[in-house]
Amino acid sequence: MNPSDTSLPSHFELLGTDGAARTGRLTTPHGVVRTPAFMPVGTAGAMKGMHWREVRDAGADIVLGNTYHLMLRPGAERIAALGGLQTFTGWNGPMLTDSGGFQVMSLADLRKVSEHAVTFRSHIDGAKVELSPERSIEVQRYLGSDIAMQMDECVRLPAERDDIDRAMRLSLRWAERSKRAFESAPDGYMLFGIVQGGDIPQLRHASAQGLVEIGFHGYAIGGLAVGEPQAVMLAMIDETAPLLPQERPRYLMGVGTPDDILEAVKRGIDMFDCVMPTRNGRHGVAFTRFGQVNLRNARHADDPRPLDAESPWPSTRNYARAYLHHLVKAGETLGAMLLSEINIAYYQFLMQGIRDAIAHGTFDEFYQRTREDWARGDI
Ligand SMILES: C=CCOC(=O)Nc1nc2cc3[nH]c(NC)nc3cc2c(=O)[nH]1
């Protein structure tokens, strides 16, 4: 379990720091990931509204697949028989899969959590399913992801201290079982632990220290972006990140807006995933250098300007706002497609700016200027 050894098929190299911000390189069997990295979420084996080539061209090195969805449909064994996720989807680059735990809690019906496993009924056909840490690792191995996640229990906030404590300790015991199952067949891939503990510093400390003792290739900070104010999320990162090994990647799950990402990078986070760029795109909202633009708004109806004439992304500098407004109002599929790629491209543009700024020791200036541009708002 020493992924700093660059001779291994999977390893992380810290290339530079600027304050608590870090830039690095995560090498996986399917390719290299530049960090800080934003992972677009390809939930059911597709990036909604986009071709994979656009995801690649926009600058994404790695994408996320959801174990919960894929194990229910088309099935993990079927994907394995068809060559694994990279071959099945055609993405052919690094992929991270979640353990499914989070989505069982938010999507499945009649779910029950026991020490052994989570049991639930599929939201697709009502079939009874049991997901244990061992089965979750088996599924992720069938999917062939480069980075697998331990199975955990994420508690939505606000929550009682006892419930947060119970879920955090269960997640630690599941971390141990996930690692044992993962190590039963070492194959050069990575397994990340997930820090829980809600909004309670002492429980965050206990979770982080417990995971570090077990030892993982990387550490996710879970249990956040689940309804708490940004200030609470950032405070929990401040409590947790310093307890995690410097030489391992840190992954903040489910985050977030460009502002969330900038604040979390400043506090030492290396990896992010969020459905916001594609989901907001489908709802007509664009992310740009000057903040968000809701193309449903009538003020765009006669505006011939593109979203950003200086953007390196063609669709962002070539399409008139009036056209995007029309597509969104008319419910044209092309509207969702264009705004999804525009948003994924903006997130990757932001990550590239972050990586360059850290590498040049100018992250503070980048942070200030970026926030000023957002605050300037869309002219
Ligand atoms: C890919 C990640 C690995 O997923 C898991 O296996 N477990 C897990 N997923 C989360 C997903 C989250 N999304 C948000 N906000 C949108 N918060 C989240 C928190 C968790 C979490 O605590 N655990």
Side-chain angles (χ1 to χ4, degrees):
M1 191 62 81
N2 173 24
S4 309
D5 171 355
T6 54
S7 66
L8 293 173
S10 291
H11 56 270
F12 179 64
E13 299 155 273
L14 196 54
L15 299 177
T17 60
D18 188 348
R22 304 136 47 92
T23 186
R25 179 171 40 226
L26 182 58
T27 300
T28 78
H30 284 93
V32 176
V33 181
R34 299 163 290 174
T35 69
F38 178 80
M39 302 183 282
V41 179
T43 300
M47 195 60 58
K48 290 181 174 24
M50 292 179 72
H51 288 282
W52 290 114
R53 68 171 180 279
E54 292 167 325
V55 179
R56 171 79 61 197
D57 291 350
D61 293 332
I62 179 170
V63 300
L64 190 144
N66 288 129
T67 294
Y68 171 80
H69 290 277
L70 293 165
M71 68 184 278
L72 297 180
R73 183 176 56 191
E77 285 77 359
R78 170 171 288 140
I79 289 177
L82 290 161
L85 259 185
Q86 284 83 351
T87 304
F88 182 59
T89 60
W91 161 251
N92 287 319
M95 293 185 95
L96 179 148
T97 47
D98 62 7
S99 60
F102 182 76
Q103 278 167 333
V104 169
M105 303 314 282
S106 49
L107 288 174
D109 310 324
L110 301 175
R111 62 192 176 276
K112 190 168 69 64
V113 180
S114 73
E115 181 68 32
H116 172 65
V118 180
T119 53
F120 59 94
R121 291 206 176 279
S122 160
H123 72 286
I124 293 169
D125 61 9
K128 198 162 165 39
V129 180
E130 177 181 278
L131 189 62
S132 65
E134 292 78 14
R135 173 62 180 157
S136 175
I137 293 296
E138 184 184 46
V139 165
Q140 294 178 79
R141 197 178 294 291
Y142 274 131
L143 297 175
S145 59
D146 301 277
I147 303 173
M149 304 301 293
Q150 71 152 94
M151 179 135 145
D152 63 336
E153 185 186 345
C154 169
V155 174
R156 294 211 172 296
L157 294 177
E160 293 300 316
R161 181 189 176 107
D162 289 352
D163 199 32
I164 295 172
D165 190 28
R166 175 200 56 74
M168 183 275 284
R169 298 193 186 287
L170 175 64
S171 296
L172 272 181
R173 295 193 296 274
W174 281 359
E176 186 76 59
R177 285 170 53 188
S178 299
K179 182 177 175 187
R180 204 173 308 126
F182 183 83
E183 291 201 317
S184 64
D187 53 9
Y189 292 157
M190 286 189 160
L191 176 66
F192 282 19
I194 303 179
V195 179
Q196 291 295 343
D199 53 0
I200 300 170
Q202 296 79 0
L203 299 183
R204 285 281 168 187
H205 301 162
S207 181
Q209 283 151 0
L211 289 174
V212 171
E213 273 164 42
I214 297 169
F216 288 91
H217 295 106
Y219 296 86
I221 300 180
L224 294 174
V226 288
E228 79 286 354
Q230 187 195 53
V232 171
M233 178 178 81
L234 298 180
M236 289 306 107
I237 297 170
D238 287 332
E239 292 292 340
T240 308
L243 301 177
L244 302 176
Q246 281 290 325
E247 72 284 1
R248 303 283 200 270
R250 297 88 175 265
Y251 161 29
L252 180 59
M253 302 165 95
V255 175
T257 65
D259 180 48
D260 291 336
I261 289 171
L262 205 53
E263 291 294 350
V265 165
K266 189 180 172 71
R267 291 166 171 78
I269 300 298
D270 305 305
M271 296 165 72
F272 301 88
D273 87 273
C274 189
V275 296
M276 212 175 272
T278 39
R279 182 175 294 172
N280 286 27
R282 292 196 301 280
H283 298 154
V285 175
F287 287 96
T288 77
R289 277 190 301 143
F290 308 110
Q292 296 184 38
V293 181
N294 186 338
L295 274 307
R296 306 193 67 85
N297 192 310
R299 72 186 175 93
H300 303 297
D302 300 300
D303 192 338
R305 298 174 305 156
L307 283 168
D308 178 356
E310 314 297 316
S311 169
W313 189 253
S315 297
T316 308
R317 68 169 185 271
N318 291 335
Y319 285 102
R321 291 157 189 243
Y323 181 57
L324 294 171
H325 172 71
H326 162 66
L327 291 177
V328 169
K329 296 296 278 185
E332 283 295 335
T333 306
L334 182 59
M337 291 162 63
L338 290 176
L339 286 170
S340 295
E341 52 159 285
I342 285 167
N343 289 350
I344 291 293
Y346 174 69
Y347 267 66
Q348 297 303 331
F349 171 80
L350 174 66
M351 301 318 292
Q352 187 59 59
I354 286 171
R355 294 190 292 261
D356 289 346
I358 296 168
H360 293 100
T362 57
F363 180 73
D364 286 346
E365 294 84 342
F366 178 83
Y367 173 92
Q368 293 302 343
R369 192 177 67 251
T370 303
R371 296 169 62 80
E372 281 158 15
D373 285 350
W374 289 335
R376 211 180 92 199
D378 179 56
I379 36 178

